[in-house]
């Protein structure tokens, strides 16, 4: 169980790789710029049409020939570097494991809400998972998806993810056997009650996981102020009474990053293109305020009650809904879930984008697996790979073991990338018998070309086979050592599977054995999704429309049926060419778009009497303007069935 912390096993190989890439990079960058100048995004076309002097068009006409001359001049050096670089890829490690102790000085402090990998409590724990396709291809290739400026987008993606995940988690408990939701109006009433009855001098009307002078952190058994952040329900006491409305609030948030204290992230950048221009990046401050009367009282970034400007952030609680007899909430959220534990990303192909994104993620996630996959020729990937797998896995819990496998059956342009599956084993706790409590994660990206259902089914077969082999091998103790068997808390698959559950063209994938071993929270059965399930593939032609230019505006559009028809990609129909734009079409549309991004979980292989319970499922719009996919998130509660001692 050795994790690879360097790309090569020796410093000499690492030096040769750097030398070869320094020879290749100038030609690579110039070629990328040359191709990018020939493919304009819809935003750039709009800007050029509004340019009375045609200055932008003139710049392109001048720069393109210049780039071409420089490419030809740098080509001999690039060929020399390529001859040196290509053989080195055969001995390159399949992934890079990085960890930042600055985010986790003590392993016992890592993990959800500061609970970390300490003793596993009988009531269990909840974990939050998220998957996102961020389309960080080389700039010239990203433009075919109507996206550009890959390096800037990579940095902004990382900022939005960590700002959304590091906001306070607000839980609302209702003291009623039937009422399971709270409306905006009732919350306004609750807020008013807070202003009348609560102050910092009282005993913890708001519970936080961050220690403060007015509300120190107590153990769950504390008689003064029980914590409500670890999957337990609130137990009101004389010191911590329920609000008169029967509602109690629990707030938990990770410790703020000292390096980011001055960075609110709530900025408007003139350099941002299109959808990012004028859009707000969620920050701790803006995410912790609520809409009240007369300025109102809010919750500041240090989790204390304070006077803050008015904003409508708490109205989002009203958007959480339950359908029929479902036991979990579902919502369309403008923000990534608070206290996010595990993040799986796809299409992080560009090396420079990987470096920038990883740096941002490390400000929230201590453990990251990146640079996943092979280049060149290697093993089952018999065709030359110009791009790696594009997968990244970030975790707040220590990673114990990892493995990458390459799909051997890619076709067409998909065969140029080392698409595959990344498997990881994480340490999430320790039982009172000193047994490790672990979880298994799988991040994958399947074949993308439409009509190749047989290829994707073969890849799903391999995914199940490799997953079983990884769980078996990683559970074997080292030779000569006797250790207690690991306790498995969860087994989750995240990724872009490139098929949806409603298209007639994807019937083979919809009936695959994957869905008998793993549960899809959005699925009723083959060919039928739940009514609230949402497509995750956005129509690239509309990425820069004002209606979807910010997380909040995209959220509003996705909550509207007509908006979904306008901006989501739907399964192609016989009366429409699949390649044509969907905007403004009049043919009837069924369903809520193509849902190709998945989070699946399995309750097989858990310990006896252990139970998995889905708490919430979210479609996230916080990456509006940065990618052509919606993100998906899921919160899963794991309980042991034991009584609290």
């Amino acid at each position: 169980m050795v994790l690879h912390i360097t790309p090569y096993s020796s410093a000499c190989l690492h030096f040769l790789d750097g030398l070869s890439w320094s020879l290749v990079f100038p030609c690579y960058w110039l070629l990328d710029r040359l191709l990018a100048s020939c493919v304009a995004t819809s935003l750039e076309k709009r800007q050029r049409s509004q340019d009375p002097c045609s200055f932008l068009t003139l710049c392109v006409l001048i720069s393109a020939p210049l780039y071409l001359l420089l490419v030809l001049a740098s080509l001999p050096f690039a060929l020399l570097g390529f001859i040196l670089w290509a053989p080195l890829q055969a001995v390159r490690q399949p992934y890079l494991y990085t960890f930042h102790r600055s985010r986790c000085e003590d392993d016992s402090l890592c993990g959800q809400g500061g609970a970390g990998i300490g003793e596993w409590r009988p009531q269990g724990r909840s974990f939050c998972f998220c998957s996102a396709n961020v389309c960080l291809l080389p700039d010239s290739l990203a433009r075919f998806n109507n996206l550009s400026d890959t390096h800037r987008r990579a940095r902004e993606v990382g900022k939005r993810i960590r700002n959304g995940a590091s906001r306070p988690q607000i839980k609302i408990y209702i003291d009623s056997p039937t009422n399971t939701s709270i409306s905006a109006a009732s919350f306004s009433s609750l807020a008013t009650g807070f202003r009348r009855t609560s102050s910092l001098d009282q005993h913890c009307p708001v519970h936080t996981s961050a220690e403060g002078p007015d509300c120190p952190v107590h153990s769950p058994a504390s008689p003064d102020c029980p914590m409500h952040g670890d999957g337990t329900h609130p137990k009101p006491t004389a010191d911590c009474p329920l609000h008169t409305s029967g509602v109690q609030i629990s707030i938990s948030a990770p410790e703020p990053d000292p390096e980011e204290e001055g960075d609110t992230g709530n900025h408007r950048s003139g350099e941002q293109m299109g959808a990012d221009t004028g859009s707000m990046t969620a920050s701790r401050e803006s995410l912790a305020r609520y809409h009240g009367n007369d300025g109102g009282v809010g919750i500041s970034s240090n989790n204390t009650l304070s006077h803050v400007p008015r904003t409508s952030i708490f109205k989002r609680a009203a958007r959480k809904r339950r359908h029929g007899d479902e036991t979990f909430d579902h919502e369309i959220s403008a923000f990534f879930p608070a206290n996010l534990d595990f993040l799986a990303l796809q299409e992080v192909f560009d090396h420079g984008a990987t470096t920038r994104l990883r740096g941002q993620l490390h400000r929230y996630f201590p453990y990251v697996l990146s640079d996943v996959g092979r280049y060149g020729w290697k093993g089952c990937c018999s065709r030359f790979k110009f791009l790696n797998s594009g997968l990244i896995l970030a975790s707040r819990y220590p990673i114990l073991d990892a493995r990458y496998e390459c799909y051997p059956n890619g076709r067409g342009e998909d065969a140029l990338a080392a698409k595959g599956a990344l498997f990881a084993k994480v340490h999430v706790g320790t039982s009172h018998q000193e047994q490790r409590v672990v979880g298994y994660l799988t991040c994958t990206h399947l074949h993308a070309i439409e009509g190749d259902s047989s290829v994707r089914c073969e890849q799903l077969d391999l995914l199940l086979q490799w997953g079983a082999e990884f769980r078996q091998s990683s559970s074997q103790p080292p030779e000569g050592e006797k250790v207690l068997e690991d306790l498995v808390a969860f087994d989750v698959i995240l990724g872009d599977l490139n098929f949806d559950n409603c298209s007639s063209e994807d019937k083979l994938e919809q009936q695959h054995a994957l869905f008998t071993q793993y549960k899809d929270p959005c699925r009723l059965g083959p060919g039928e999704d739940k009514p609230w399930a949402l497509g995750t593939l956005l129509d690239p032609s509309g990425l820069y429309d004002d209606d979807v230019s910010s997380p909040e505006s995209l959220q509003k559009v996705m909550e509207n049926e007509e908006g979904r028809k306008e901006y989501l990609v739907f399964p192609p129909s016989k009366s429409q060419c699949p390649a044509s734009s969907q905007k403004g079409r009049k043919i009837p549309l069924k369903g809520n778009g193509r849902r190709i991004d998945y989070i699946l979980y399995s309750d097989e292989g858990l310990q006896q009497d252990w139970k998995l319970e889905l708490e919430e499922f979210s479609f996230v719009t916080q990456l509006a303007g940065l990618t052509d996919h919606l993100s998906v998130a899921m919160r899963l509660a794991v309980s042991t069935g034991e009584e609290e001692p």
Side-chain angles (χ1 to χ4, degrees):
M1 298 183 183
V2 179
L3 294 168
H4 307 300
I5 59 175
T6 59
Y8 294 95
S9 57
S10 72
C12 179
L13 293 175
H14 195 278
F15 170 78
L16 290 175
D17 180 77
L19 176 63
S20 62
W21 183 245
S22 66
L23 294 172
V24 172
F25 179 76
C27 184
Y28 163 81
W29 184 84
L30 290 166
L31 182 60
D32 186 51
R33 298 317 308 158
L34 174 62
L35 296 176
S37 65
C38 300
V39 182
T41 65
S42 60
L43 174 65
E44 291 169 340
K45 292 178 181 177
R46 184 193 312 164
Q47 292 173 340
R48 292 175 189 176
S49 66
Q50 297 171 351
D51 182 11
C53 299
S54 300
F55 178 74
L56 297 175
T57 304
L58 183 62
C59 288
V60 172
L61 293 176
I62 295 175
S63 62
L66 181 61
Y67 284 137
L68 180 59
L69 290 175
L70 293 175
V71 166
L72 294 176
S74 62
L75 191 57
F77 299 98
L79 291 175
L80 179 62
F82 181 79
I83 292 173
L84 180 61
W85 175 83
L88 290 173
Q89 306 314 304
V91 293
R92 185 185 180 94
Q93 304 295 358
Y95 59 81
L96 180 64
Y97 169 65
T98 54
F99 59 94
H100 274 199
R101 288 293 178 184
S102 61
R103 293 295 306 145
C104 186
E105 293 296 335
D106 183 352
D107 280 351
S108 65
L109 298 178
C110 289
Q112 177 183 352
I117 58 171
E119 184 174 349
W120 183 265
R121 296 176 182 145
Q123 73 268 26
R125 190 175 294 169
S126 66
F127 302 94
C128 188
F129 309 83
C130 183
S131 177
N133 184 318
V134 290
C135 197
L136 294 176
L137 292 147
D139 195 51
S140 56
L141 300 180
R143 287 170 176 271
F144 289 98
N145 287 354
N146 203 23
L147 294 164
S148 66
D149 204 351
T150 294
H151 289 180
R152 182 201 58 78
R153 286 193 297 114
R155 189 181 293 109
E156 185 67 16
V157 165
K159 285 183 179 180
R160 293 195 189 185
I161 290 174
R162 64 181 174 83
N163 285 336
S166 60
R167 65 195 172 98
Q169 179 183 0
I170 302 171
K171 294 183 179 180
I172 304 173
Y173 299 94
I174 311 298
D175 188 22
S176 168
T178 56
N179 186 10
T180 59
S181 64
I182 182 168
S183 65
S186 62
F187 195 90
S188 177
S189 172
L190 171 63
T192 304
F194 249 164
R195 289 196 296 274
R196 288 197 309 266
T197 63
S198 299
S199 71
L200 291 177
D201 298 328
Q202 293 182 343
H203 291 283
C204 297
V206 177
H207 301 274
T208 77
S209 65
E211 187 170 354
D214 299 293
C215 185
V217 174
H218 300 277
S219 65
S222 171
D224 298 320
C225 187
M227 183 184 287
H228 308 301
D230 289 312
T232 57
H233 292 288
K235 297 178 181 179
T237 65
D239 294 321
C240 293
L242 277 170
H243 182 262
T244 54
S245 65
V247 180
Q248 190 167 21
I249 298 178
S250 169
I251 301 176
S252 62
E255 292 296 328
D257 187 345
E259 300 177 4
E260 293 298 306
E261 285 297 318
D263 178 16
T264 64
N266 194 8
H267 60 277
R268 296 175 183 267
S269 172
E271 298 177 357
Q272 292 180 353
M273 64 177 191
D276 303 319
T277 302
S279 67
M280 295 181 62
T281 302
S283 67
R284 296 186 184 93
E285 288 81 1
S286 65
L287 288 166
R289 301 167 184 163
Y290 69 79
H291 180 72
N293 297 323
D294 304 323
V297 179
I299 303 165
S300 65
S301 59
N302 62 353
N303 295 334
T304 58
L305 295 177
S306 60
H307 291 275
V308 295
R310 293 176 57 178
T311 176
S312 59
I313 185 61
F314 272 167
K315 285 188 176 182
R316 308 205 182 282
R319 292 193 174 109
K320 287 191 176 183
R321 305 180 180 92
R322 295 193 182 186
H323 238 82
D325 57 355
E326 284 178 339
T327 59
F328 63 93
D329 296 323
H330 52 83
E331 65 172 337
I332 302 171
S333 174
F335 308 109
F336 282 94
N339 293 341
L340 179 61
D341 295 303
F342 306 103
L343 173 70
L345 300 177
Q346 303 87 45
E347 290 197 13
V348 189
F349 289 117
D350 185 83
H351 181 73
T354 300
T355 302
R356 288 166 173 78
L357 178 57
R358 183 172 58 223
Q360 292 293 330
L361 293 179
H362 266 311
R363 296 184 178 182
Y364 178 80
F365 295 99
Y367 311 95
V368 176
L369 293 170
S370 60
D371 202 9
V372 179
R374 303 283 190 181
Y375 297 96
W377 293 279
K378 175 67 179 180
C380 70
C381 300
S382 56
R383 298 186 61 175
F384 191 90
K385 304 298 179 183
F386 290 93
L387 301 172
N388 64 11
S389 71
L391 302 177
I392 283 185
L393 183 63
S395 171
R396 292 177 67 193
Y397 291 88
I399 298 174
L400 300 174
D401 195 11
R403 178 186 298 176
Y404 159 77
E405 298 286 352
C406 176
Y407 293 127
N409 60 343
R411 295 180 184 175
E413 62 269 23
D414 250 32
L416 301 178
K419 285 190 174 180
L422 175 65
F423 304 92
K425 178 181 181 179
V426 292
H427 186 194
V428 297
T430 304
S431 72
H432 59 275
Q433 292 95 359
E434 298 301 321
Q435 289 178 278
R436 290 189 311 189
V437 181
V438 302
Y440 289 100
L441 300 167
T442 301
C443 178
T444 190
H445 189 188
L446 297 190
H447 186 70
I449 299 177
E450 293 183 8
D452 284 348
S453 293
S454 59
V455 175
R456 282 186 287 272
C457 285
E458 291 174 9
Q459 292 178 349
L460 290 175
D461 291 337
L462 290 171
L463 184 71
L464 293 177
Q465 175 188 331
W466 291 335
E469 292 173 354
F470 174 74
R471 290 188 295 273
Q472 182 177 4
S473 64
S474 64
S475 62
Q476 298 296 324
E479 289 188 21
E481 294 186 19
K482 291 185 177 180
V483 295
L484 294 175
E485 181 181 1
D486 291 336
L487 304 176
V488 180
F490 55 80
D491 180 7
V492 176
I493 295 177
L494 312 96
D496 181 352
L497 302 188
N498 272 313
F499 67 86
D500 66 80
N501 191 46
C502 297
S503 297
S504 58
E505 292 84 357
D506 297 333
K507 285 185 177 179
L508 285 178
E509 297 97 316
Q510 296 163 9
Q511 299 172 358
H512 194 272
L514 173 75
F515 297 104
T516 62
Q517 299 184 31
Y518 289 83
K519 297 179 180 179
D520 180 358
C522 302
R523 169 181 161 118
L524 288 173
E528 186 179 7
D529 273 348
K530 294 180 179 179
W532 52 265
L534 194 65
T536 59
L537 188 59
L538 297 170
D539 181 5
S541 64
L543 292 179
Y544 303 113
D545 289 5
D546 292 339
D547 289 342
V548 293
S549 61
S550 70
E552 293 83 0
S553 60
L554 180 57
Q555 178 197 33
K556 292 178 181 178
V557 167
M558 292 297 104
E559 290 175 336
N560 180 273
E561 183 178 359
E562 293 302 318
R564 291 194 292 268
K565 291 179 180 180
E566 184 78 6
Y567 289 101
L568 287 178
V569 173
F570 281 74
S573 66
K574 295 180 180 179
S575 58
Q576 188 213 4
C577 175
S580 64
S581 172
Q582 301 195 151
K583 292 175 68 61
R585 70 180 186 179
K586 302 299 183 180
I587 63 173
L589 294 173
K590 295 182 179 180
N592 288 322
R594 295 201 68 200
R595 183 175 61 88
I596 64 175
D597 298 274
Y598 291 78
I599 302 181
L600 312 175
Y601 68 97
S602 174
D603 52 11
E604 297 180 8
L606 299 182
Q607 302 309 119
Q608 189 174 5
D609 297 330
W610 283 33
K611 182 182 178 182
L612 286 180
E613 182 179 352
L614 186 62
E615 291 186 336
E616 63 184 35
F617 193 94
S618 306
F619 296 92
V620 182
T621 65
Q622 194 166 359
L623 298 184
L626 301 178
T627 179
D628 57 350
H629 286 245
L630 297 181
S631 307
V632 290
M634 176 183 77
R635 197 177 298 276
L636 200 62
V638 184
S639 58
T640 64
E642 301 177 12
E643 295 293 333
E644 178 76 30

